[in-house]
Amino acid sequence: MTDTPLDFGDPADLDRLRREFRAWLAEHPLPERQSGEPVPVFLRRWHRLLHSGGWVGLDVPERYGGRGLTALHQVAISDELGACRAPGVPRIGYLAHALLEFGSEEQRLRFLPPMLAGDEVWCQGFSEPGAGSDLAGMSTFAARHDGFYIVRGQKLWTSYAQYSGLCLLLARTDRAVPAHKSISAFVLPLDRPGVTVRPLRAANGDDEFCELFLDDVRLEESERIGVEGVGWALAMTTVSYERNALDTGHISKYGLLVERLRRHAAEHQGSLPDGLLSRIGRCVVDYEVLVAHARRRTAERLAGQVAGPESSVDKLLMTRTEQRLYDTALEVFPAELSGVGGELFGDYLYSRAASVYGGTSQIQRNIIAKRILHLPSNG
Amino acid sequence: MDREEFVLVRDMVRSLATRFGVTSADEVKPSTRTAAQQALDDMGLADLRRTSPPAATAQECALLAEEHGRHPLTTSLLGTVLLAPELLRLLGADTSPGTPTIALTRELRLPGETPTDLVAWDSEGADSALCVTAEGTVTRVELGPAAPSADLVRSVRAVPPDAPVETVGRLAPPDRLRWQSYALVVVTAELVGAAGSLVEQAVEYARFRRQYGQAIGSFQAVQHLLADATVLVEACTSVTRYAAWCLDNEPPERALTAARVAKAEVNSSALEAVYAGTQVFGGIAQTWEHIAHLYLRKVRLGATLLATTDELLAALAVPEVTR
Ligand SMILES: Cc1cc2nc3c(=O)[nH]c(=O)nc-3n(C[C@H](O)[C@H](O)[C@H](O)COP(=O)(O)OP(=O)(O)OC[C@H]3O[C@@H](n4cnc5c(N)ncnc54)[C@H](O)[C@@H]3O)c2cc1C
């Protein structure tokens, strides 16, 4: 973490991009979610529309379907989406980074453009029934044969697998060496024989996550990402991007609700119950802090810092923002609690998952203590 | 400044700490204050913000304030080196005698339209204080006797109520906003440095302090306390550095919002981080000799300085600019 001045981008340049984006939005009205349309399906329509305007993967090189700009441009758009009351940006940043960093040139050219375009949807097959926080304890095994692998095991909590075509899969490729050296990463097409996807109902009623059963699934050697045993490093890169609010597109989602709260505050300033104005103010602060933090991280990255354990700080801040925000929103819009509201209560329930997915809050604290503060281990 | 030059200046502030940083409240005496301030003044940093265009960006000044806050220094870097010269620069008052600092109300807020009952805040080495009213008039006031301050390392002087008031100039509305935002950011940056430093000291302590046959830092409860404090310090750092950058690059209204957000975050999070840090020190941090309370005092007082959380949250809850 740098203690010298940081470049947060050229405001004129970023403003130009924002104006360009707003002009585009004015001509491309936001899609409406149809009744009964599952959220992922709706978001995919939105993803494709955004991509058609060139608003996805701004910081991805052009030859892979991006725009070759900087991550600061992506922050500006994410920010703008929230302010324009639009749905969030597609959550592909962390997957794209995994491929950019570990994929072969052939894989990058094959997979990144359709990922950015929303033509191929990915999910993430890391967790297992017996390996959640302790990811290294996974038991899914990919047995190597001549030029291919046979994979057997079970994955759990795989978000949106039922809407996805491809899965970033982690499996052990060697039982003889320690976990951190024996995990490899693969691209698994979910229509491959032997793959069964079974949706699980979430607390908010959505069918977000799934169980994945892998019964002797054949994967080609060319479907392995990076060399054998690099899966752990790839997973760590993926989760460090996944823990940054910018890469996951959460900033715009929060921005949308923060704006809604502020409009309510402006309209009902005189009649708000005691303390509620302060709580709305607190949400504004949390949100702005998160945006400033994402900008700082981005500026540090552009200055050459690689994503590392500090993403655990990002994740905890993101969790703080989300959980306080939705909790406050229910105070501001009590009708949501009686069931006559919209989607807010479901989102509130989902905010409780923020401290679980992507590594629980306790695990983030462990990482900070060990890898940033270098505190001693027990015993 | 280019980066090397900045690093040099920051290291100068850092070196001040090794020579003049106090190691306990007992060392805070008028003679040690004077010697430290003399050393600071000799560095000639008052010119950083005095010229137009300024030699240092607001972001650089905020980083210096952050560095200054990291150490138990009795010097008035904020008042005499960063804040008062900025005011004179905005006024275009090129020639100004002496070394002024800043005057605030006795509650340490920015003064209203007709200020009364002022104190000269951060007054070590100062010979007068500049007061900015809510409508932008800048006056120069004389310094009275030393006034008590809960922040033991900070020098504060009374302003005699009947002393003559000299008008120095008037800030145009955007400049008044710029000044207000700059003051918020510089003060906030110093608190970030203080909180960050105390947490680092607590981490260091947790590495070697042993109980139950092992370092206390190996207990998960202690680790999580320090991890949470680290998250808060990082949040404070990000939001303050970004607010400082806004002063250099964004229009005044946006810069003011960013500065308010930073102050609101730091008011609560820096304090919470300091609480966690002192908790890790256990009993030792509760003594007069240990420097933990110097940090606690600075940050607790800082949380009400210029703007309290309640004031800020109410202002930020309602959108001021519609796109
Ligand atoms: C909404 C949602 C979406 C998800 N999407 C995906 C996905 O797409 N792909 C994927 O692979 N996974 C996904 N996950 C899985 C997620 O990563 C795991 O749930 C998470 O890592 C925790 O694992 P666990 O559920 O097995 O809990 P456990 O690991 O069993 O933890 C239970 C509790 O014990 C605590 N705990 C465990 N170990 C420690 C320790 N060492 N120190 C302190 N406390 C500890 C935890 O913090 C937690 O509170 C998703 C989860 C959710 C909720």
PDB file of all heavy atoms in Angstrom, chain B residues 75-105:
ATOM      1  N   THR B  75       4.389  19.778  17.294  1.00  0.00           N
ATOM      2  CA  THR B  75       4.517  20.862  16.316  1.00  0.00           C
ATOM      3  C   THR B  75       3.170  21.205  15.670  1.00  0.00           C
ATOM      4  O   THR B  75       2.319  20.345  15.500  1.00  0.00           O
ATOM      5  CB  THR B  75       5.504  20.438  15.219  1.00  0.00           C
ATOM      6  OG1 THR B  75       5.316  19.043  14.955  1.00  0.00           O
ATOM      7  CG2 THR B  75       6.930  20.651  15.666  1.00  0.00           C
ATOM      8  N   SER B  76       3.028  22.478  15.261  1.00  0.00           N
ATOM      9  CA  SER B  76       1.791  22.936  14.630  1.00  0.00           C
ATOM     10  C   SER B  76       1.931  22.939  13.110  1.00  0.00           C
ATOM     11  O   SER B  76       1.842  23.991  12.475  1.00  0.00           O
ATOM     12  CB  SER B  76       1.421  24.332  15.145  1.00  0.00           C
ATOM     13  OG  SER B  76       1.034  24.258  16.483  1.00  0.00           O
ATOM     14  N   LEU B  77       2.135  21.790  12.547  1.00  0.00           N
ATOM     15  CA  LEU B  77       2.255  21.710  11.090  1.00  0.00           C
ATOM     16  C   LEU B  77       0.956  22.147  10.407  1.00  0.00           C
ATOM     17  O   LEU B  77       0.969  22.889   9.426  1.00  0.00           O
ATOM     18  CB  LEU B  77       2.596  20.274  10.678  1.00  0.00           C
ATOM     19  CG  LEU B  77       2.692  20.043   9.164  1.00  0.00           C
ATOM     20  CD1 LEU B  77       4.109  20.306   8.669  1.00  0.00           C
ATOM     21  CD2 LEU B  77       2.262  18.636   8.776  1.00  0.00           C
ATOM     22  N   LEU B  78      -0.156  21.696  10.970  1.00  0.00           N
ATOM     23  CA  LEU B  78      -1.430  21.978  10.314  1.00  0.00           C
ATOM     24  C   LEU B  78      -1.739  23.472  10.297  1.00  0.00           C
ATOM     25  O   LEU B  78      -2.016  24.052   9.250  1.00  0.00           O
ATOM     26  CB  LEU B  78      -2.565  21.210  11.013  1.00  0.00           C
ATOM     27  CG  LEU B  78      -2.849  19.809  10.475  1.00  0.00           C
ATOM     28  CD1 LEU B  78      -1.608  18.976  10.334  1.00  0.00           C
ATOM     29  CD2 LEU B  78      -3.899  19.107  11.300  1.00  0.00           C
ATOM     30  N   GLY B  79      -1.685  24.072  11.496  1.00  0.00           N
ATOM     31  CA  GLY B  79      -2.094  25.474  11.616  1.00  0.00           C
ATOM     32  C   GLY B  79      -1.187  26.439  10.873  1.00  0.00           C
ATOM     33  O   GLY B  79      -1.641  27.224  10.045  1.00  0.00           O
ATOM     34  N   THR B  80       0.111  26.359  11.172  1.00  0.00           N
ATOM     35  CA  THR B  80       1.006  27.405  10.666  1.00  0.00           C
ATOM     36  C   THR B  80       1.607  27.093   9.307  1.00  0.00           C
ATOM     37  O   THR B  80       1.996  27.992   8.576  1.00  0.00           O
ATOM     38  CB  THR B  80       2.173  27.660  11.654  1.00  0.00           C
ATOM     39  OG1 THR B  80       2.929  26.445  11.779  1.00  0.00           O
ATOM     40  CG2 THR B  80       1.654  28.082  13.018  1.00  0.00           C
ATOM     41  N   VAL B  81       1.711  25.822   8.955  1.00  0.00           N
ATOM     42  CA  VAL B  81       2.391  25.459   7.708  1.00  0.00           C
ATOM     43  C   VAL B  81       1.398  25.173   6.579  1.00  0.00           C
ATOM     44  O   VAL B  81       1.638  25.503   5.427  1.00  0.00           O
ATOM     45  CB  VAL B  81       3.305  24.231   7.937  1.00  0.00           C
ATOM     46  CG1 VAL B  81       3.913  23.734   6.640  1.00  0.00           C
ATOM     47  CG2 VAL B  81       4.399  24.592   8.938  1.00  0.00           C
ATOM     48  N   LEU B  82       0.282  24.527   6.936  1.00  0.00           N
ATOM     49  CA  LEU B  82      -0.633  24.119   5.871  1.00  0.00           C
ATOM     50  C   LEU B  82      -1.876  25.009   5.760  1.00  0.00           C
ATOM     51  O   LEU B  82      -2.255  25.424   4.663  1.00  0.00           O
ATOM     52  CB  LEU B  82      -1.051  22.659   6.079  1.00  0.00           C
ATOM     53  CG  LEU B  82       0.097  21.631   6.020  1.00  0.00           C
ATOM     54  CD1 LEU B  82      -0.428  20.221   6.236  1.00  0.00           C
ATOM     55  CD2 LEU B  82       0.862  21.712   4.693  1.00  0.00           C
ATOM     56  N   LEU B  83      -2.526  25.286   6.878  1.00  0.00           N
ATOM     57  CA  LEU B  83      -3.832  25.952   6.783  1.00  0.00           C
ATOM     58  C   LEU B  83      -3.749  27.460   6.574  1.00  0.00           C
ATOM     59  O   LEU B  83      -4.374  28.003   5.665  1.00  0.00           O
ATOM     60  CB  LEU B  83      -4.672  25.613   8.018  1.00  0.00           C
ATOM     61  CG  LEU B  83      -5.107  24.148   8.096  1.00  0.00           C
ATOM     62  CD1 LEU B  83      -5.823  23.847   9.403  1.00  0.00           C
ATOM     63  CD2 LEU B  83      -6.012  23.804   6.917  1.00  0.00           C
ATOM     64  N   ALA B  84      -2.979  28.150   7.425  1.00  0.00           N
ATOM     65  CA  ALA B  84      -2.917  29.610   7.286  1.00  0.00           C
ATOM     66  C   ALA B  84      -2.291  30.037   5.947  1.00  0.00           C
ATOM     67  O   ALA B  84      -2.840  30.919   5.270  1.00  0.00           O
ATOM     68  CB  ALA B  84      -2.183  30.223   8.480  1.00  0.00           C
ATOM     69  N   PRO B  85      -1.182  29.441   5.519  1.00  0.00           N
ATOM     70  CA  PRO B  85      -0.633  29.833   4.213  1.00  0.00           C
ATOM     71  C   PRO B  85      -1.614  29.602   3.057  1.00  0.00           C
ATOM     72  O   PRO B  85      -1.668  30.407   2.122  1.00  0.00           O
ATOM     73  CB  PRO B  85       0.609  28.944   4.063  1.00  0.00           C
ATOM     74  CG  PRO B  85       1.024  28.641   5.457  1.00  0.00           C
ATOM     75  CD  PRO B  85      -0.260  28.525   6.218  1.00  0.00           C
ATOM     76  N   GLU B  86      -2.400  28.551   3.131  1.00  0.00           N
ATOM     77  CA  GLU B  86      -3.389  28.296   2.081  1.00  0.00           C
ATOM     78  C   GLU B  86      -4.411  29.425   2.014  1.00  0.00           C
ATOM     79  O   GLU B  86      -4.812  29.877   0.943  1.00  0.00           O
ATOM     80  CB  GLU B  86      -4.098  26.969   2.364  1.00  0.00           C
ATOM     81  CG  GLU B  86      -5.305  26.672   1.489  1.00  0.00           C
ATOM     82  CD  GLU B  86      -4.947  26.261   0.067  1.00  0.00           C
ATOM     83  OE1 GLU B  86      -3.757  26.363  -0.306  1.00  0.00           O
ATOM     84  OE2 GLU B  86      -5.869  25.864  -0.669  1.00  0.00           O
ATOM     85  N   LEU B  87      -4.802  29.883   3.179  1.00  0.00           N
ATOM     86  CA  LEU B  87      -5.775  30.971   3.250  1.00  0.00           C
ATOM     87  C   LEU B  87      -5.208  32.235   2.602  1.00  0.00           C
ATOM     88  O   LEU B  87      -5.875  32.902   1.809  1.00  0.00           O
ATOM     89  CB  LEU B  87      -6.099  31.202   4.722  1.00  0.00           C
ATOM     90  CG  LEU B  87      -7.366  31.939   5.058  1.00  0.00           C
ATOM     91  CD1 LEU B  87      -8.539  31.414   4.264  1.00  0.00           C
ATOM     92  CD2 LEU B  87      -7.628  31.788   6.551  1.00  0.00           C
ATOM     93  N   LEU B  88      -3.968  32.540   2.936  1.00  0.00           N
ATOM     94  CA  LEU B  88      -3.342  33.736   2.361  1.00  0.00           C
ATOM     95  C   LEU B  88      -3.191  33.588   0.857  1.00  0.00           C
ATOM     96  O   LEU B  88      -3.373  34.548   0.101  1.00  0.00           O
ATOM     97  CB  LEU B  88      -1.976  33.982   3.024  1.00  0.00           C
ATOM     98  CG  LEU B  88      -2.062  34.345   4.506  1.00  0.00           C
ATOM     99  CD1 LEU B  88      -0.673  34.379   5.139  1.00  0.00           C
ATOM    100  CD2 LEU B  88      -2.763  35.693   4.695  1.00  0.00           C
ATOM    101  N   ARG B  89      -2.890  32.385   0.413  1.00  0.00           N
ATOM    102  CA  ARG B  89      -2.757  32.165  -1.034  1.00  0.00           C
ATOM    103  C   ARG B  89      -4.093  32.407  -1.736  1.00  0.00           C
ATOM    104  O   ARG B  89      -4.165  33.099  -2.750  1.00  0.00           O
ATOM    105  CB  ARG B  89      -2.296  30.736  -1.303  1.00  0.00           C
ATOM    106  CG  ARG B  89      -2.098  30.411  -2.779  1.00  0.00           C
ATOM    107  CD  ARG B  89      -1.720  28.961  -3.001  1.00  0.00           C
ATOM    108  NE  ARG B  89      -2.850  28.069  -2.800  1.00  0.00           N
ATOM    109  CZ  ARG B  89      -3.765  27.810  -3.731  1.00  0.00           C
ATOM    110  NH1 ARG B  89      -3.674  28.372  -4.913  1.00  0.00           N
ATOM    111  NH2 ARG B  89      -4.766  26.997  -3.475  1.00  0.00           N
ATOM    112  N   LEU B  90      -5.177  31.860  -1.146  1.00  0.00           N
ATOM    113  CA  LEU B  90      -6.498  32.036  -1.763  1.00  0.00           C
ATOM    114  C   LEU B  90      -6.894  33.501  -1.801  1.00  0.00           C
ATOM    115  O   LEU B  90      -7.580  33.959  -2.704  1.00  0.00           O
ATOM    116  CB  LEU B  90      -7.552  31.221  -0.998  1.00  0.00           C
ATOM    117  CG  LEU B  90      -7.486  29.702  -1.184  1.00  0.00           C
ATOM    118  CD1 LEU B  90      -8.417  29.000  -0.201  1.00  0.00           C
ATOM    119  CD2 LEU B  90      -7.827  29.305  -2.614  1.00  0.00           C
ATOM    120  N   LEU B  91      -6.428  34.249  -0.789  1.00  0.00           N
ATOM    121  CA  LEU B  91      -6.742  35.687  -0.733  1.00  0.00           C
ATOM    122  C   LEU B  91      -5.888  36.480  -1.706  1.00  0.00           C
ATOM    123  O   LEU B  91      -6.174  37.633  -1.992  1.00  0.00           O
ATOM    124  CB  LEU B  91      -6.481  36.227   0.675  1.00  0.00           C
ATOM    125  CG  LEU B  91      -7.527  35.947   1.732  1.00  0.00           C
ATOM    126  CD1 LEU B  91      -7.014  36.430   3.077  1.00  0.00           C
ATOM    127  CD2 LEU B  91      -8.836  36.627   1.366  1.00  0.00           C
ATOM    128  N   GLY B  92      -4.827  35.875  -2.165  1.00  0.00           N
ATOM    129  CA  GLY B  92      -3.878  36.607  -2.997  1.00  0.00           C
ATOM    130  C   GLY B  92      -3.088  37.613  -2.185  1.00  0.00           C
ATOM    131  O   GLY B  92      -2.522  38.563  -2.724  1.00  0.00           O
ATOM    132  N   ALA B  93      -3.067  37.443  -0.871  1.00  0.00           N
ATOM    133  CA  ALA B  93      -2.316  38.352   0.007  1.00  0.00           C
ATOM    134  C   ALA B  93      -0.857  37.904   0.037  1.00  0.00           C
ATOM    135  O   ALA B  93      -0.445  37.149   0.898  1.00  0.00           O
ATOM    136  CB  ALA B  93      -2.911  38.350   1.410  1.00  0.00           C
ATOM    137  N   ASP B  94      -0.108  38.373  -0.929  1.00  0.00           N
ATOM    138  CA  ASP B  94       1.243  37.860  -1.108  1.00  0.00           C
ATOM    139  C   ASP B  94       2.184  38.220   0.030  1.00  0.00           C
ATOM    140  O   ASP B  94       2.974  37.407   0.472  1.00  0.00           O
ATOM    141  CB  ASP B  94       1.827  38.357  -2.434  1.00  0.00           C
ATOM    142  CG  ASP B  94       1.205  37.598  -3.596  1.00  0.00           C
ATOM    143  OD1 ASP B  94       0.679  36.506  -3.346  1.00  0.00           O
ATOM    144  OD2 ASP B  94       1.237  38.116  -4.726  1.00  0.00           O
ATOM    145  N   THR B  95       2.099  39.460   0.431  1.00  0.00           N
ATOM    146  CA  THR B  95       2.987  39.835   1.528  1.00  0.00           C
ATOM    147  C   THR B  95       2.165  39.901   2.797  1.00  0.00           C
ATOM    148  O   THR B  95       1.183  40.608   2.889  1.00  0.00           O
ATOM    149  CB  THR B  95       3.627  41.214   1.275  1.00  0.00           C
ATOM    150  OG1 THR B  95       2.574  42.130   0.967  1.00  0.00           O
ATOM    151  CG2 THR B  95       4.628  41.151   0.142  1.00  0.00           C
ATOM    152  N   SER B  96       2.557  39.098   3.730  1.00  0.00           N
ATOM    153  CA  SER B  96       1.834  39.089   4.991  1.00  0.00           C
ATOM    154  C   SER B  96       2.851  38.882   6.087  1.00  0.00           C
ATOM    155  O   SER B  96       3.668  37.964   6.016  1.00  0.00           O
ATOM    156  CB  SER B  96       0.813  37.959   4.969  1.00  0.00           C
ATOM    157  OG  SER B  96       0.161  37.916   6.199  1.00  0.00           O
ATOM    158  N   PRO B  97       2.811  39.723   7.098  1.00  0.00           N
ATOM    159  CA  PRO B  97       3.843  39.643   8.129  1.00  0.00           C
ATOM    160  C   PRO B  97       3.619  38.467   9.072  1.00  0.00           C
ATOM    161  O   PRO B  97       2.497  38.024   9.263  1.00  0.00           O
ATOM    162  CB  PRO B  97       3.680  40.969   8.872  1.00  0.00           C
ATOM    163  CG  PRO B  97       2.243  41.319   8.691  1.00  0.00           C
ATOM    164  CD  PRO B  97       1.826  40.765   7.370  1.00  0.00           C
ATOM    165  N   GLY B  98       4.698  37.971   9.643  1.00  0.00           N
ATOM    166  CA  GLY B  98       4.606  37.014  10.735  1.00  0.00           C
ATOM    167  C   GLY B  98       4.168  35.627  10.331  1.00  0.00           C
ATOM    168  O   GLY B  98       4.178  35.252   9.163  1.00  0.00           O
ATOM    169  N   THR B  99       3.816  34.839  11.358  1.00  0.00           N
ATOM    170  CA  THR B  99       3.421  33.445  11.165  1.00  0.00           C
ATOM    171  C   THR B  99       2.045  33.235  11.767  1.00  0.00           C
ATOM    172  O   THR B  99       1.909  32.971  12.965  1.00  0.00           O
ATOM    173  CB  THR B  99       4.432  32.514  11.891  1.00  0.00           C
ATOM    174  OG1 THR B  99       5.746  32.899  11.495  1.00  0.00           O
ATOM    175  CG2 THR B  99       4.189  31.059  11.561  1.00  0.00           C
ATOM    176  N   PRO B 100       1.012  33.358  10.959  1.00  0.00           N
ATOM    177  CA  PRO B 100      -0.320  33.167  11.528  1.00  0.00           C
ATOM    178  C   PRO B 100      -0.704  31.692  11.616  1.00  0.00           C
ATOM    179  O   PRO B 100      -0.134  30.851  10.928  1.00  0.00           O
ATOM    180  CB  PRO B 100      -1.234  33.888  10.527  1.00  0.00           C
ATOM    181  CG  PRO B 100      -0.499  33.835   9.232  1.00  0.00           C
ATOM    182  CD  PRO B 100       0.979  33.749   9.546  1.00  0.00           C
ATOM    183  N   THR B 101      -1.663  31.389  12.488  1.00  0.00           N
ATOM    184  CA  THR B 101      -2.335  30.089  12.465  1.00  0.00           C
ATOM    185  C   THR B 101      -3.806  30.354  12.210  1.00  0.00           C
ATOM    186  O   THR B 101      -4.169  31.407  11.677  1.00  0.00           O
ATOM    187  CB  THR B 101      -2.089  29.284  13.758  1.00  0.00           C
ATOM    188  OG1 THR B 101      -2.655  27.987  13.586  1.00  0.00           O
ATOM    189  CG2 THR B 101      -2.691  29.947  14.983  1.00  0.00           C
ATOM    190  N   ILE B 102      -4.652  29.425  12.604  1.00  0.00           N
ATOM    191  CA  ILE B 102      -6.072  29.503  12.292  1.00  0.00           C
ATOM    192  C   ILE B 102      -6.873  29.701  13.570  1.00  0.00           C
ATOM    193  O   ILE B 102      -6.569  29.087  14.591  1.00  0.00           O
ATOM    194  CB  ILE B 102      -6.498  28.170  11.624  1.00  0.00           C
ATOM    195  CG1 ILE B 102      -5.809  28.044  10.276  1.00  0.00           C
ATOM    196  CG2 ILE B 102      -7.986  28.050  11.483  1.00  0.00           C
ATOM    197  CD1 ILE B 102      -6.084  29.194   9.337  1.00  0.00           C
ATOM    198  N   ALA B 103      -7.911  30.547  13.492  1.00  0.00           N
ATOM    199  CA  ALA B 103      -8.791  30.714  14.652  1.00  0.00           C
ATOM    200  C   ALA B 103     -10.086  29.942  14.430  1.00  0.00           C
ATOM    201  O   ALA B 103     -10.649  29.963  13.342  1.00  0.00           O
ATOM    202  CB  ALA B 103      -9.099  32.196  14.856  1.00  0.00           C
ATOM    203  N   LEU B 104     -10.518  29.264  15.478  1.00  0.00           N
ATOM    204  CA  LEU B 104     -11.784  28.524  15.433  1.00  0.00           C
ATOM    205  C   LEU B 104     -12.640  28.962  16.617  1.00  0.00           C
ATOM    206  O   LEU B 104     -12.158  29.654  17.510  1.00  0.00           O
ATOM    207  CB  LEU B 104     -11.524  27.015  15.526  1.00  0.00           C
ATOM    208  CG  LEU B 104     -10.663  26.382  14.427  1.00  0.00           C
ATOM    209  CD1 LEU B 104     -10.375  24.927  14.748  1.00  0.00           C
ATOM    210  CD2 LEU B 104     -11.328  26.527  13.062  1.00  0.00           C
ATOM    211  N   THR B 105     -13.894  28.552  16.634  1.00  0.00           N
ATOM    212  CA  THR B 105     -14.711  28.859  17.812  1.00  0.00           C
ATOM    213  C   THR B 105     -14.184  28.037  18.995  1.00  0.00           C
ATOM    214  O   THR B 105     -13.414  27.087  18.799  1.00  0.00           O
ATOM    215  CB  THR B 105     -16.188  28.474  17.591  1.00  0.00           C
ATOM    216  OG1 THR B 105     -16.263  27.048  17.535  1.00  0.00           O
ATOM    217  CG2 THR B 105     -16.723  29.061  16.304  1.00  0.00           C
TER     218      THR B 105
END
